[in-house]
Structure formats: structure tokens, C-alpha cells
Amino acid sequence: MLSIINKRNIFLHQKLVKSLFEQTVTRTLATHWDPKFRRLRKNKFTEPTLLDFDSNTKEKVKRGIEPPTSFIYKPINITSSKEIFDPYIPPEGDGKASLFSKEFAKGAVEKITKSTSKKFKHLRLIKKSDSNFDENLFAETAQQIYIDAHSILSKRDPEEMLNFVTENALMKMYHNMKFKTIRWKWIESLEEPVVKHLVTREMMVKTDLYAQVTVRIHSKQILAVYDRFGRLAFGSDTLPKDVLEYVVFEKHLSDPYGSWRLHDKIIPSWSPAKTPVIRSFALPEPYKTDDELEKRIVSKFKGDDSHLEKIQEEKS
């Protein structure tokens, strides 16, 4: 019995040794079997130029780890706002309605019934930051800012314009003005400018305070806009026009160096539609005809008139 077990163990041992020697060796495809081309294979690899990272990030990039994304923060302008806080609603028929008209009476009643407590609250906050502010005298100052801003618009100097208009108004005034020429002139003031609305608002924090004042300006102006070809696209260079506008002026009260600047304009819903701009277009190229082809066609038909003579002879 023991001899049978020993023979069996010897057989299994021989079989195991044989399988170990006959085992096939697997190779990876990353290396070549012939080492003499190792230098040539090394020259095929080009090391990428890494950005100016710190030492820890460079080691991670070499190991194949992606670098962190660079956060690009958008700049925020806090010198002015981007909206009208509490838009003033002009009474319908303002500038045209008489003292005894229905529209004027309706607007006067709304003005009386409207609470003035909020107005005094905002006026107190403005005077707290700007001690020289006077509601009665500010209308004249605002009108002069309005004249200076529109006079500089024709010069196309945005840096100088920022002294009289906010960034919000600058984008709107310069919109679609490329390759155009502006001629603007102030003629006279038909009515005295009047302050119609006052409002203040805090932005983000309580100490960051902005003020907006709406001024009614009724004047006579001349405006002419020329396109890039020198053609008149809008307005007139000689004919003055009566203009009634509700202009919003803004100041950053928290800024000790802040000043009143033109911010936006309020367009009433009942105002008439604006005159459309006359647009100019490039004329299409004229249709080109092949003169030689036309000559060949005409000569071909001229040479085929002989068959008509034969038909007439047969009929006769």
C-alpha cells in the first residue's frame, strides 16, 4: 500500500516539474525584444512643456494627474448700478396737455394722492452723504451734465464721457454707433428742468448706498446721424426738434469721490414711435452677359432664312 502511494507522489512531482519548465513566458508589448533600438525608441518620445506650476502640481502632472482649472473671475464694477431702481411713471400727455385737460387733471390728482414720506426719506439719506445737494438747484446742474455728455458723444472719447455718464449709459449711447457720424446741438430750454423723483438703494451691504434722481428736461435740439457713406440716416442738420425726456442721474453716495452722472432715460409707454433709421445697403453686382454667345446665336438664325424662300416658291 505504501509503495503505491509513493509511486503516485513521485508521478505527481514529476508532472509538476515538467509543467513548470514547459510554461510559456508572456511578454508585454511595451518593450521590444531587441535592446539595441532602445535609444531610437527614446528619441520618439517628446516631453511636454509644462506650465509654470508649483513643485507639487508639476509632480502630479508628470504622474498623469490633470492640473486644477484656473478660475477666471469676472470683474465687477461697483461705481454704478445696471438698472433704474424705482422708475418714475410720467403722466400721460405731459408736455402737450393743457391745464384744463383731462390728462393733466388726472396726473395732478395722482401726484397729490401719492405719499411724499418716501421722498423725504430718500432726500434725507442723500443730504447725509452729500451736504451740498439741493433739490431746487440740482435740476440746473443735471441739465448741464446732460448737455456736456451729448456734446462729447460726437467726439467719440469714452474716457472723457465717463466723467458725465455711467458705464450703463455709455454702453447704450455707443450701441450701434460704429462707422457713424453724429451732429448734435443744444438750441434752448423750452421749460425749466424739474426734479420729479428721488430714490436711494443699498447694494449688497448697508454701507454701499446709491442714489438716483429723475429730472424732466424739455428742450429744443438738433440731431443728425450720418452713416459710413456720408448719407443722412436719421434726423436733420438744420431743422430743430422739441424733445421731452425724463433723464435719470445716479451717484455712488458711499464713494467720497463720486459725482452725479447721467445713468438712463425713461421712455413712457404713451410716447409716439420713433422715426426709423434709413439704412443703406450695397448694390448687387449687375448681371454679366456673354456677348460672344449672343452674337453666335444671332448669326445662326440669320443664316437659316433660306428655307423660307423655298417654302414661298413651292406655294407659288
Side-chain angles (χ1 to χ4, degrees):
M1 186 70 181
L2 292 172
S3 62
I4 295 171
I5 294 171
N6 291 333
K7 288 180 180 179
R8 186 178 179 184
N9 291 337
I10 292 168
F11 175 75
L12 292 173
H13 179 71
Q14 291 176 352
K15 190 175 181 181
L16 178 62
V17 172
K18 186 179 180 181
S19 64
L20 289 173
F21 280 101
E22 293 179 355
Q23 185 177 3
T24 58
V25 179
T26 58
R27 294 178 58 85
T28 59
L29 298 176
T31 58
H32 198 267
W33 61 272
D34 196 347
K36 68 179 180 180
F37 297 110
R38 187 179 297 173
R39 184 174 295 176
L40 298 175
R41 290 194 300 271
K42 182 182 179 181
N43 295 336
K44 289 183 179 180
F45 174 75
T46 57
E47 187 176 357
T49 56
L50 302 177
L51 299 175
D52 190 13
F53 297 119
D54 54 356
S55 58
N56 296 331
T57 310
K58 281 186 178 181
E59 292 177 0
K60 291 180 181 179
V61 172
K62 287 180 179 179
R63 284 184 286 166
I65 302 174
E66 293 184 1
T69 56
S70 58
F71 296 97
I72 301 175
Y73 296 99
K74 293 183 178 179
I76 299 175
N77 184 19
I78 62 172
T79 58
S80 65
S81 62
K82 293 186 178 180
E83 59 180 357
I84 302 175
F85 299 144
D86 186 13
Y88 171 73
I89 301 175
E92 189 173 355
D94 190 11
K96 296 181 180 180
S98 63
L99 295 173
F100 303 100
S101 63
K102 183 179 178 181
E103 292 81 3
F104 184 85
K106 184 179 179 181
V109 171
E110 289 180 357
K111 184 178 179 181
I112 294 171
T113 55
K114 190 175 181 180
S115 176
T116 57
S117 59
K118 292 183 178 179
K119 179 180 177 181
F120 290 124
K121 174 188 173 182
H122 298 308
L123 183 61
R124 186 172 63 253
L125 289 173
I126 293 172
K127 287 186 175 182
K128 186 177 180 181
S129 302
D130 187 2
S131 58
N132 297 326
F133 181 81
D134 189 354
E135 184 179 358
N136 299 324
L137 300 177
F138 177 76
E140 295 290 339
T141 306
Q143 181 173 282
Q144 188 60 41
I145 296 171
Y146 175 89
I147 295 170
D148 294 339
H150 286 79
S151 299
I152 298 170
L153 179 62
S154 58
K155 298 180 182 178
R156 296 181 178 275
D157 189 355
E159 294 184 1
E160 189 177 357
M161 275 199 69
L162 285 175
N163 296 326
F164 303 98
V165 301
T166 61
E167 287 75 10
N168 176 65
L170 183 67
M171 291 188 297
K172 293 182 179 180
M173 294 175 75
Y174 266 82
H175 175 66
N176 202 19
M177 294 307 298
K178 192 176 182 180
F179 304 125
K180 291 183 175 64
T181 305
I182 303 172
R183 295 287 182 267
W184 184 87
K185 186 179 180 182
W186 174 274
I187 304 299
E188 61 177 345
S189 178
L190 300 178
E191 297 182 43
E192 291 185 1
V194 183
V195 174
K196 289 291 185 179
H197 191 55
L198 294 167
V199 64
T200 57
R201 180 165 294 184
E202 300 167 354
M203 298 288 285
M204 299 176 68
V205 292
K206 290 184 178 181
T207 56
D208 196 16
L209 192 65
Y210 294 83
Q212 291 183 356
V213 180
T214 305
V215 181
R216 178 184 181 271
I217 300 176
H218 194 191
S219 61
K220 185 175 287 187
Q221 308 172 12
I222 289 178
L223 175 64
V225 181
Y226 297 91
D227 60 8
R228 57 179 177 171
F229 304 108
R231 303 188 186 96
L232 183 65
F234 181 81
S236 175
D237 213 349
T238 56
L239 184 64
K241 189 176 181 181
D242 296 348
V243 180
L244 176 62
E245 291 179 314
Y246 299 89
V247 189
V248 180
F249 294 87
E250 186 182 78
K251 182 181 179 182
H252 190 198
L253 298 177
S254 302
D255 185 4
Y257 302 102
S259 60
W260 290 100
R261 297 185 294 174
L262 192 151
H263 182 65
D264 208 338
K265 294 180 182 180
I266 298 173
I267 301 174
S269 57
W270 46 265
S271 61
K274 291 184 178 180
T275 307
V277 177
I278 303 171
R279 301 186 181 275
S280 58
F281 302 92
L283 293 174
E285 294 183 359
Y287 179 73
K288 296 181 180 180
T289 58
D290 193 350
D291 298 335
E292 295 182 359
L293 180 62
E294 289 185 357
K295 289 178 181 179
R296 274 181 276 161
I297 293 172
V298 172
S299 61
K300 181 180 178 182
F301 283 101
K302 281 184 178 180
D304 291 339
D305 294 339
S306 60
H307 69 284
L308 297 175
E309 297 177 358
K310 292 180 181 181
I311 294 172
Q312 289 178 1
E313 288 177 0
E314 290 176 359
K315 286 184 180 181
S316 60

